[in-house]
Amino acid sequence: DINSAIEAYEEAQRIREVTGTMESPDGAILLMHLGIVMGARQAHLIRHIGVERRARTDADTQLEHLAESQRILERCGQTESFEGALVLTNIGIAERARGNIEVALEAYSKARFIRKSTDTLETLEGAQLLNSIGAAKGDRGDLEGALDAYGEARRIREATGTLASADGV
């Protein structure tokens, strides 16, 4: 369950801190995953319980973990990496969920730039990023921009053979 996953990630974080390995790209990704799980708990609470105050706390915590992941990558000189793009994509997802569409699009734009410069846009993760861009542009009312992003994501899915996957649907 979600709470068990959070406990496991928090224990992994404690171990990394004790062993001095938190300040690494792997530590940054651990924090990102902890933030994502907390976001999942937020969605679960909103959907099933409707506990608004707890949900806001989880969203804030999710973004705090993602921001710390980004700071670790900066200190390690790894912001322009696969991990850096992944963290930025998840920051965008969290900001969009909070209704901060422009902030989300800014994070997505940075992630897209990194993916292009590291030749990782033509991947499953690149297609997922483009789907997120399409959704945010649609939220903003930019339907043409949304369709362009979705079209590019579809092209990548077709090229990588992932269109007929659960993630590609």
Side-chain angles (χ1 to χ4, degrees):
D1 82 327
I2 292 173
N3 289 328
S4 296
I6 290 171
E7 288 175 17
Y9 280 125
E10 287 175 339
E11 179 62 20
Q13 180 182 5
R14 279 189 289 280
I15 291 168
R16 283 204 169 274
E17 287 170 350
V18 168
T19 61
T21 59
M22 196 65 211
E23 294 287 319
S24 67
D26 288 339
I29 296 303
L30 170 67
L31 282 176
M32 182 196 72
H33 285 299
L34 179 58
I36 290 169
V37 172
M38 289 188 166
R41 180 171 66 184
Q42 170 200 2
H44 175 78
L45 289 170
I46 289 171
R47 211 171 30 250
H48 295 98
I49 304 171
V51 180
E52 188 173 319
R53 185 172 213 187
R54 177 68 181 267
R56 170 147 314 271
T57 301
D58 284 349
D60 292 344
T61 302
Q62 180 183 21
L63 285 168
E64 287 171 17
H65 282 84
L66 290 166
E68 181 60 22
S69 294
Q70 196 171 34
R71 284 190 291 273
I72 290 170
L73 290 172
E74 286 170 4
R75 287 191 295 267
C76 295
Q78 295 290 316
T79 55
E80 302 285 317
S81 65
F82 174 85
E83 292 86 358
L86 191 59
V87 169
L88 283 166
T89 299
N90 281 288
I91 288 171
I93 290 167
E95 291 291 0
R96 179 175 172 257
R98 292 169 53 100
N100 299 328
I101 305 305
E102 295 307 316
V103 176
L105 284 168
E106 183 179 326
Y108 293 149
S109 176
K110 290 175 184 176
R112 185 177 186 167
F113 175 82
I114 291 169
R115 288 209 173 276
K116 276 188 164 188
S117 66
T118 59
D119 291 325
T120 59
L121 186 60
E122 302 286 322
T123 62
L124 175 63
E125 292 84 2
Q128 291 168 335
L129 168 62
L130 290 163
N131 278 335
S132 295
I133 290 170
K137 286 187 175 191
D139 290 346
R140 188 173 67 179
D142 178 5
L143 299 183
E144 187 174 324
L147 288 174
D148 288 345
Y150 287 137
E152 191 174 355
R154 180 184 174 98
R155 181 192 57 72
I156 291 170
R157 298 267 185 176
E158 288 172 344
T160 59
T162 58
L163 185 60
S165 67
D167 220 21
V169 177

